[in-house]
Amino acid sequence: MTETVLVVPGDGIGQEVVPAAVEVLASVVDLEYVEAEAGDATEAATGEALPAETYRLATEADATLFGAAGETAADVILPLREAVGSFANLRPARAYPGVDALRPETDLVFVRENTEGVYAGIESEIAAGVTTLTRVVTEDASRRIAEYGFTYAEENGYASVTVAHKANVMRTTDGLFLETVRAVGDELGADYDEALMDALAMHLLLRPEEYGVVICPNLAGDVLSDLAAGLVGGLGLLPSANVGADNALFEPVHGTAPDIAGEGVANPTAAILSAAMLLEHLGYGEEATGVRRSVEAVLADGPHTPDLGGDATTTDVTAAVIDRLGD
């Protein structure tokens, strides 16, 4: 039976890089694609940033490939992650030959808890000029992300696992997160280090080669993975997977890039690498490896889009990746 992939380009350069990723997917496997809309333009046209039909299609598809949303991002991506039952946000950050990386020794994977923390959406205005935000941390979610992170590190050959936290200040919430991750690590006999998330940000800049898998609460994973993008050449290189028990959603880490949207020069690398993660999720491991190798070859030899110092178009890079698939 042919797997179904829901394609949601969204706004801005999502309209350019997601079709590029689909073109690469179509060149290696036979999948069925269903397209749906979400984002700022959709809200302007329909009054809803995420139509109920798009949400339904995400729950029914075998995987979803998403581009980007602008001002409506919280109204789009958070419900879509919920639709696929995502509990883990996987964000690899690697430096590649041919890319002018600040830290070419970087090879990091952020395993980010994806359901709670400050992203639980519990905000209130309790008086004029006074607002609150409730941070939610549960033992169940902390245990699940810990099990996923330690297992991922072992299965993918990462010797270093670091648990990021701020339990010295957020003693109850991050205290529970840290205690739970420790318990899971001890149960699995895993080696790991612990680091305050703010200090870790500095150490990642200075010594990224000392780190591999980083298990993070929700907000910390968001911030630290963007920092890591600066180490490897920019957000245009970072893919991500929102993993559930059976379903998953894949998206480039970058946003809509309104300054270049519509010009045809957006870097499709992150979207194509997200598509490679989608292939792996669907069981096409060999094809996923082939896509990654093709991307790496193009990054090493060119062509490059302007964000990487070149003058190639999105179409040029996509065609080059497809051409290298047969090598």
Side-chain angles (χ1 to χ4, degrees):
M1 181 177 176
T2 303
E3 295 93 343
T4 299
V5 175
L6 176 64
V7 179
V8 187
D11 298 312
I13 63 171
Q15 293 285 334
E16 301 164 59
V17 299
V18 167
V22 170
E23 190 176 349
V24 173
L25 282 174
S27 69
V28 292
V29 293
D30 182 21
L31 300 170
E32 180 180 345
Y33 300 98
V34 177
E35 187 160 335
E37 293 300 329
D40 296 358
T42 302
E43 183 179 58
T46 69
E48 294 181 298
L50 182 66
E53 176 68 0
T54 301
Y55 185 96
R56 182 188 67 80
L57 290 169
T59 66
E60 296 177 354
D62 295 295
T64 296
L65 183 62
F66 176 70
E71 295 299 319
T72 58
D75 299 318
V76 174
I77 192 58
L78 297 183
L80 279 177
R81 289 171 179 167
E82 177 187 65
V84 302
S86 171
F87 64 89
N89 184 207
L90 193 64
R91 293 188 170 190
R94 284 187 56 200
Y96 296 98
V99 176
D100 185 17
L102 179 64
R103 293 291 187 185
E105 63 272 34
T106 303
D107 184 1
L108 300 165
V109 180
F110 296 90
V111 179
R112 169 191 174 196
E113 201 288 316
N114 213 27
T115 65
E116 51 186 31
V118 296
Y119 288 15
I122 307 172
E123 295 187 84
S124 301
E125 183 175 1
I126 60 174
V130 182
T131 58
T132 64
L133 170 64
T134 300
R135 186 170 191 261
V136 178
V137 176
T138 66
E139 183 177 354
D140 286 347
S142 300
R143 170 168 285 275
R144 197 170 193 184
I145 199 65
E147 291 172 346
Y148 184 87
F150 285 123
T151 301
Y152 180 90
E154 181 178 5
E155 291 180 349
N156 290 275
Y158 283 92
S160 172
V161 177
T162 302
V163 182
H165 67 95
K166 193 63 177 171
N168 62 328
V169 174
M170 296 180 284
R171 296 174 181 174
T172 301
T173 51
D174 260 23
L176 175 60
F177 175 81
L178 182 57
E179 289 171 7
T180 306
V181 178
R182 283 173 176 167
V184 172
D186 293 344
E187 290 167 13
L188 297 175
D191 292 326
Y192 62 94
D193 296 316
E194 301 170 4
L196 296 172
M197 60 183 71
D198 49 343
L200 179 59
M202 178 188 69
H203 293 310
L204 288 175
L205 285 170
L206 297 176
R207 300 187 298 275
E209 72 279 2
E210 295 182 3
Y211 298 91
V213 170
V214 183
I215 301 174
C216 316
N218 205 332
L219 178 61
D222 200 358
V223 173
L224 291 172
S225 59
D226 274 20
L227 178 147
L231 303 180
V232 302
L235 287 170
L237 300 173
L238 264 63
S240 76
N242 298 279
V243 180
D246 301 305
N247 204 340
L249 180 146
F250 302 85
E251 56 173 326
V253 174
H254 64 67
T256 60
D259 55 324
I260 61 168
E263 297 181 9
V265 295
N267 187 349
T269 298
I272 294 172
L273 289 174
S274 297
M277 298 176 81
L278 183 152
L279 286 172
E280 206 160 47
H281 164 73
L282 294 179
Y284 298 101
E286 184 176 340
E287 291 83 356
T289 298
V291 170
R292 289 193 185 97
R293 288 176 177 168
S294 297
V295 169
E296 290 171 9
V298 172
L299 289 173
D301 302 331
H304 292 157
T305 44
D307 62 308
L308 298 182
D311 58 5
T313 65
T314 307
T315 301
D316 294 335
V317 173
T318 305
V321 170
I322 293 171
D323 286 344
R324 298 300 291 262
L325 284 169
D327 293 352

